[in-house]
Amino acid sequence: MLPFQLGLIDGPVHLVALGAHPDDIEIGCGGTLLKLAESVPELTAEFVIATGTPLRLEEARRAAELFLPECEVTVTSAELPDGRLPAYWNETKELLEATARGGAAPAGRRPDVVLAPSRNDAHQDHRLIAELSPTVWRDHLVLHYEIPKWDGDLGRPWLYVELTEEQLREKVALLHKAYPSQVPHDWFDEEVFAGLARMRGMECRAKYAEAFTTGKATLTW
């Protein structure tokens, strides 16, 4: 089953979303989260965030509620040092493995999809989460999202989730609502988020889209 063929889903869906920092998940795939919340009647989710101050993690918990309204969502964090994750390899791996063991998942649920940063991301924290995720979830669909930033590391994705203009605008509005600490940054604005979504939409003949890569997937029908 491909979880993003939303019209074909029959039954509950469990999602695991991984971020190195608060706001990574929502910037990378917030529109996809909104689309899932709208389209999947029985959606549960775990957000796992490796770093963050108490203020930023409170923003992340608020974001999870906003992007997946009326869904059962848990948010877990190890509060590891921002910008230093490679030096905390063991702790990061254990955070992901604890999630895979099902500590916060609904009873007996395996994730139908895992969302993680891009494996080509230039930020060392993002990249470590990306590299570890397929080694922890070896027989799951792991989709790698992209995060725009000054490094200029955007790649050539090959999997797209189409967004309506309403979904894109809601994503941008909720990012600003959930993460007021980030609003002063020059990159945290509607033009950046909408510009990337418009470009990815053009690539898949849609108005807007979010794009992903995956190292391995199995098609069944």
Side-chain angles (χ1 to χ4, degrees):
M1 180 181 71
L2 289 177
F4 286 89
Q5 293 180 345
L6 298 175
L8 302 180
I9 289 178
D10 181 20
V13 170
H14 184 56
L15 165 75
V16 171
L18 310 175
H21 316 100
D23 78 21
D24 285 352
I25 296 167
E26 295 82 9
I27 290 174
C29 53
T32 300
L33 297 177
L34 292 170
K35 190 164 186 173
L36 282 168
E38 292 173 5
S39 307
V40 179
E42 299 178 70
L43 177 66
T44 57
E46 297 173 76
F47 284 28
V48 182
I49 304 166
T51 74
T53 64
L55 170 62
R56 297 273 281 124
L57 291 172
E58 183 58 36
E59 290 180 331
R61 285 185 281 271
R62 176 61 173 155
E65 295 173 357
L66 291 172
F67 278 85
L68 293 179
E70 301 181 15
C71 299
E72 180 185 342
V73 186
T74 61
V75 180
T76 303
S77 171
E79 300 186 36
L80 298 171
D82 187 351
R84 298 290 188 272
L85 281 192
Y88 292 82
W89 191 99
N90 287 333
E91 293 85 348
T92 305
K93 184 76 179 294
E94 174 56 31
L95 172 65
L96 303 190
E97 289 181 339
T99 303
R101 288 195 295 268
R109 289 308 308 275
R110 287 162 45 92
D112 296 285
V113 63
V114 177
L115 302 174
S118 168
R119 300 175 81 169
N120 295 319
D121 197 298
H123 193 295
Q124 66 275 9
D125 292 353
H126 300 171
R127 193 167 58 252
L128 180 60
I129 298 291
E131 291 170 350
L132 289 176
S133 54
T135 73
V136 174
W137 286 276
R138 290 181 176 272
D139 56 350
H140 297 75
L141 179 62
V142 180
L143 300 181
H144 298 273
Y145 58 78
E146 56 185 353
I147 301 175
K149 53 188 171 303
W150 75 273
D151 304 84
D153 56 2
L154 296 177
R156 297 183 64 183
W158 53 85
L159 189 151
Y160 298 84
V161 175
E162 297 181 11
L163 303 178
T164 64
E165 182 165 358
E166 291 74 19
Q167 289 164 339
L168 183 278
R169 300 304 171 194
E170 185 176 7
K171 169 185 174 174
V172 173
L174 292 183
L175 278 169
H176 284 75
K177 182 176 182 179
Y179 292 104
S181 68
Q182 303 305 291
V183 172
H185 294 301
D186 57 2
W187 53 268
F188 199 95
D189 64 28
E190 181 173 3
E191 288 184 282
V192 169
F193 303 135
L196 178 58
R198 179 69 189 100
M199 183 177 70
R200 296 313 188 197
M202 176 271 298
E203 292 174 352
C204 67
R205 296 297 177 88
K207 180 66 173 178
Y208 297 103
E210 288 176 339
F212 302 83
T213 57
T214 184
K216 184 182 295 186
T218 300
L219 294 177
T220 59
W221 58 83

